[in-house]
């Protein structure tokens, strides 16, 4: 199993770069960041520094979207980084929850994401792409360029499209039941589209918090540091409920029940441990969606995720134990899972 580190690009950028270096030294192979231009610093500028400061780490956004940058600019940025450092980038893409809403725009449609994925992948790999009547190709891309595009999804239509079109699936939660349910939906869609389901990489991303023991006090602190994640996922779930309803069977009940007490969401606290809008998230959801507890609990859950077909676990490291989590994974968790 591959391991990734997910960070927000909060200033100073030097801290983001340092944590990514630390992650590579501890056996992580992917470095991901949020991409929301108003809330955080520009990730692609920072990727250049991360790539120059590491040797093997693959970097990319979790996730960009097709609305805040023109598609040829996105593709050119990835392709430039790959030309400078080798094929060490991946394009994670989604609807643009925070990036679009904070700027007063509506998240992108699945149809727009589908078009964007095709254009960005083709251009980033040195192929031609149609920008709506104008066919272009980057003349400076060298032979052998590659740009995989991984899609973030929750809902039934998005899961189907991921299996049909994406190179990878990003699932932002670590619940075993929901992972099995959604991975199956993606793989089934790939088979129905005459694709090899093994060609769709599966990445589960969630907060991880390593405690010294499983005492009530230690677990309570870990839950409070990770409760924000249930609120962030709740944004996407609320969109699904508004579209599909909560009792029609298209969205699992296990995913929709907990947002009934959700009252609102302030994006200025998006992805942060001190988010005041996540009090509605119960402990059970934190435990299911995240990976918390002593090292052995992490190993147990990650092994279970691997059995469900997960190729990568990406650690959301936004809490008060960033370095300790990276080090614990490097010294104990990653070696045990990959033994």
């Amino acid at each position: 199993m591959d391991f990734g580190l997910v960070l927000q690009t909060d200033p100073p950028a030097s801290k983001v770069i340092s944590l990514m270096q630390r992650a590579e030294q501890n056996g992580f192979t992917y470095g991901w960041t949020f991409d929301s231009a108003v809330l955080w610093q520009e990730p692609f500028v920072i990727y250049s520094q991360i790539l120059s400061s590491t040797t093997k780490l693959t970097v990319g956004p979790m996730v960009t979207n097709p609305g805040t940058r023109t598609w040829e600019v996105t593709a050119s940025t990835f392709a430039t980084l790959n030309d400078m450092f080798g094929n060490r980038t991946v394009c994670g893409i989604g609807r643009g929850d925070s990036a679009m809403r904070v700027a007063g725009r509506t998240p992108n449609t699945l149809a727009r994401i589908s078009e964007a994925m095709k254009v960005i992948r083709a251009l980033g790999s040195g192929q031609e792409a149609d920008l709506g009547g104008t066919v272009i190709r980057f003349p400076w891309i060298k032979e052998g360029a590659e740009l995989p595009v991984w899609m973030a999804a929750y809902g039934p239509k998005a899961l189907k499209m991921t299996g049909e079109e994406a190179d990878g699936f990003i699932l932002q939660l670590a619940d075993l039941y929901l992972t099995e349910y959604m991975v199956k939906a993606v793989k089934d869609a790939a088979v129905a589209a005459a694709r090899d389901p093994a060609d769709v990489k599966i990445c589960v991303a969630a907060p991880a918090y390593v405690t010294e023991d499983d005492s009530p006090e230690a677990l309570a602190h870990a839950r409070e540091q990770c409760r924000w994640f249930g609120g962030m996922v709740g944004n996407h779930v609320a969109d699904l409920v508004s579209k599909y309803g909560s009792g029609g069977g298209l969205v699992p009940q296990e995913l929709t029940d907990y947002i009934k007490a959700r009252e609102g969401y302030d994006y200025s606290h998006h992805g942060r441990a001190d988010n005041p809008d996540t009090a509605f998230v119960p402990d059970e959801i934190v435990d299911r969606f995240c990976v918390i507890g002593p090292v052995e609990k992490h190993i147990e859950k990650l092994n279970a995720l691997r059995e469900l077909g997960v190729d990568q676990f990406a650690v959301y490291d936004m809490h008060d134990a960033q370095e300790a989590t990276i080090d614990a994974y490097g010294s104990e968790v990653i070696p045990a899972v990959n033994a």
Side-chain angles (χ1 to χ4, degrees):
M1 179 185 279
D2 283 322
F3 285 83
L5 183 72
V6 190
L7 300 173
Q8 295 168 333
T9 51
D10 289 315
S14 58
K15 178 68 178 295
V16 178
I17 297 162
S18 174
L19 288 172
M20 290 297 185
Q21 289 176 304
R22 191 183 196 113
E24 183 179 62
Q25 292 163 5
N26 276 281
F28 289 74
T29 53
Y30 281 78
W32 303 90
T33 74
F34 283 33
D35 177 18
S36 192
V38 175
L39 297 177
W40 301 288
Q41 293 185 328
E42 173 54 39
F44 288 95
V45 176
I46 300 172
Y47 294 159
S48 186
Q49 292 296 310
I50 294 171
L51 290 167
S52 69
S53 302
T54 57
T55 59
K56 296 181 180 178
L57 206 67
T58 295
V59 303
M62 189 177 283
V63 291
T64 193
N65 74 88
T68 53
R69 296 180 179 85
T70 60
W71 305 343
E72 68 271 23
V73 170
T74 299
S76 179
T77 305
F78 279 111
T80 301
L81 291 171
N82 284 338
D83 186 65
M84 294 170 67
F85 300 103
N87 291 325
R88 292 173 57 198
T89 69
V90 56
C91 176
I93 196 167
R95 296 178 65 229
D97 177 45
S98 64
M100 296 297 284
R101 286 185 166 128
V102 168
R105 304 187 184 105
T106 303
N108 295 272
T109 64
L110 291 179
R112 185 170 172 82
I113 297 172
S114 176
E115 289 182 65
M117 285 201 300
K118 294 181 178 70
V119 169
I120 292 168
R121 182 194 293 117
L123 290 177
S125 303
Q127 304 167 31
E128 291 184 344
D130 189 339
L131 297 180
T134 301
V135 177
I136 67 166
R137 176 181 175 276
F138 297 148
W140 47 267
I141 287 189
K142 299 172 184 175
E143 186 177 351
E146 297 177 357
L147 179 57
V149 180
W150 296 11
M151 181 176 166
Y154 291 107
K157 291 183 179 179
L159 293 169
K160 180 174 181 290
M161 195 176 93
T162 300
E164 293 171 343
E165 302 180 24
D167 300 304
F169 168 40
I170 297 172
L171 174 58
Q172 295 174 90
L173 53 79
D175 179 74
L176 297 180
Y177 172 83
L178 291 169
T179 297
E180 182 175 20
Y181 176 96
M182 293 185 184
V183 168
K184 183 179 185 302
V186 169
K187 297 286 190 179
D188 286 350
V191 171
R195 300 183 68 195
D196 183 346
D199 289 342
V200 185
K201 297 298 182 183
I202 307 296
C203 174
V204 161
Y209 198 101
V210 180
T211 60
E212 291 188 6
D213 54 43
D214 58 359
S215 67
E217 295 79 13
L219 294 177
H221 180 76
R223 290 181 183 121
E224 288 311 309
Q225 289 295 306
C226 298
R227 198 175 304 276
W228 63 267
F229 184 68
M232 187 182 82
V233 173
N235 289 331
H236 304 290
V237 175
D239 285 344
L240 294 177
V241 169
S242 68
K243 184 173 183 177
Y244 298 106
S246 59
L250 290 174
V251 182
Q253 203 75 24
E254 287 82 356
L255 189 58
T256 61
D257 278 349
Y258 84 98
I259 69 161
K260 293 176 181 177
R262 179 180 182 269
E263 295 181 353
Y265 194 82
D266 181 354
Y267 280 93
S268 65
H269 301 282
H270 190 55
R272 301 191 185 279
D274 60 352
N275 192 328
D277 297 322
T278 58
F280 72 93
V281 180
D283 287 351
E284 179 192 4
I285 288 294
V286 180
D287 292 348
R288 289 180 61 170
F289 283 15
C290 305
V291 185
I292 64 173
V295 163
E296 57 268 23
K297 292 296 184 182
H298 290 250
I299 296 169
E300 178 184 353
K301 190 164 190 178
L302 292 172
N303 281 330
L305 288 169
R306 184 175 55 187
E307 290 299 313
L308 296 176
V310 175
D311 300 296
Q312 179 184 158
F313 179 63
V315 175
Y316 276 111
D317 203 24
M318 284 80 79
H319 47 56
D320 65 359
Q322 289 182 302
E323 291 86 353
T325 298
I326 294 170
D327 292 347
Y329 264 66
S331 63
E332 299 184 78
V333 178
I334 294 175
V337 172
N338 288 334

